[in-house]
Amino acid sequence: STLIFTIRHLSILSCMMSVHPDDFSSLSNPQQISVKDLEWDASIDFDSEVLRGSVNYTLQRNDLKSNRLCLDTNHLTIYEVADDKGNFLDYILHPVSKSHLGQLLDITLSPETVSISVQYSTTPQSSALQWLPPSQTGGKVHPYLFTQCQAIHARSLFPCQDRPGVKFSYTARMTSPSWSTC
């Protein structure tokens, strides 16, 4: 089964006005390049307790000289990053410097890049995903998954600018086993 959620979240303030440069909860750089829109497409694997998928980002360049998009991640595996023409982009998944911040995904963009795609998967350590075994569910037959992204756990769901001042619209498409939907 495929569930599709379309949520349009529009901030009253622009990203430039609402992002504080000294936000110590994030490694991202929305002052230079921010995410305007995000399309998330993932499959739920209950056996491995991971999500596998892709995220497509529409970008807004707030500093025309910047060629680096910095996204927050935590306990994610990054497989590839490409632009909207299918060209693979160089990226670095930096080592953890402060465990609560996770890892910086540092993507090099060409001047004309306006959107990118990241292929990735979560890991069983992704803190935004809570997996319950069948024994902890009402019917005791199937496992259960729920998400908890606050305060800074969205970065363990998919790469993002995980800061309170960053707002963007998004569409989510989740593929799950048929037994998990009504």
Side-chain angles (χ1 to χ4, degrees):
S1 290
T2 300
L3 298 173
I4 300 175
F5 302 94
T6 302
I7 299 170
R8 294 293 174 204
H9 182 89
L10 301 175
S11 173
I12 295 172
L13 300 172
S14 74
C15 285
M16 286 296 290
M17 291 173 58
S18 61
V19 173
H20 192 278
D22 294 331
D23 185 340
F24 299 110
S25 67
S26 175
L27 301 169
S28 66
N29 68 337
Q31 309 91 306
Q32 285 81 38
I33 300 174
S34 58
V35 174
K36 261 177 46 176
D37 184 69
L38 182 144
E39 293 179 20
W40 181 33
D41 190 351
S43 297
I44 304 170
D45 183 339
F46 281 94
D47 293 330
S48 300
E49 295 187 347
V50 298
L51 303 180
R52 291 181 183 86
S54 64
V55 185
N56 297 319
Y57 305 85
T58 302
L59 306 175
Q60 175 176 311
R61 290 183 183 259
N62 302 315
D63 176 351
L64 297 177
K65 296 175 189 168
S66 182
N67 70 337
R68 295 176 52 228
L69 173 63
C70 296
L71 300 174
D72 295 303
T73 75
N74 198 9
H75 297 292
L76 299 179
T77 302
I78 307 299
Y79 299 110
E80 66 182 44
V81 179
D83 65 15
D84 56 342
K85 296 177 181 95
N87 300 313
F88 294 112
L89 299 176
D90 291 331
Y91 68 90
I92 299 170
L93 189 58
H94 291 274
V96 174
S97 61
K98 295 182 180 179
S99 62
H100 69 284
L101 294 179
Q103 292 179 273
L104 168 64
L105 176 59
D106 189 344
I107 304 166
T108 303
L109 305 174
S110 66
E112 60 275 354
T113 302
V114 294
S115 64
I116 64 163
S117 175
V118 176
Q119 304 293 321
Y120 82 103
S121 68
T122 63
T123 66
Q125 294 77 35
S126 295
S127 59
L129 301 171
Q130 306 297 311
W131 302 89
L132 300 181
S135 63
Q136 291 183 325
T137 66
K140 311 251 184 259
V141 175
H142 298 294
Y144 185 77
L145 166 65
F146 68 94
T147 60
Q148 176 71 30
C149 291
Q150 63 185 26
I152 58 170
H153 297 284
R155 65 191 68 193
S156 73
L157 203 54
F158 53 78
C160 61
Q161 293 173 326
D162 198 3
R163 302 166 72 135
V166 173
K167 310 291 187 225
F168 53 84
S169 59
Y170 71 95
T171 302
R173 181 180 8 264
M174 302 301 298
T175 302
S176 65
S178 60
W179 56 259
S180 68
T181 60
C182 299

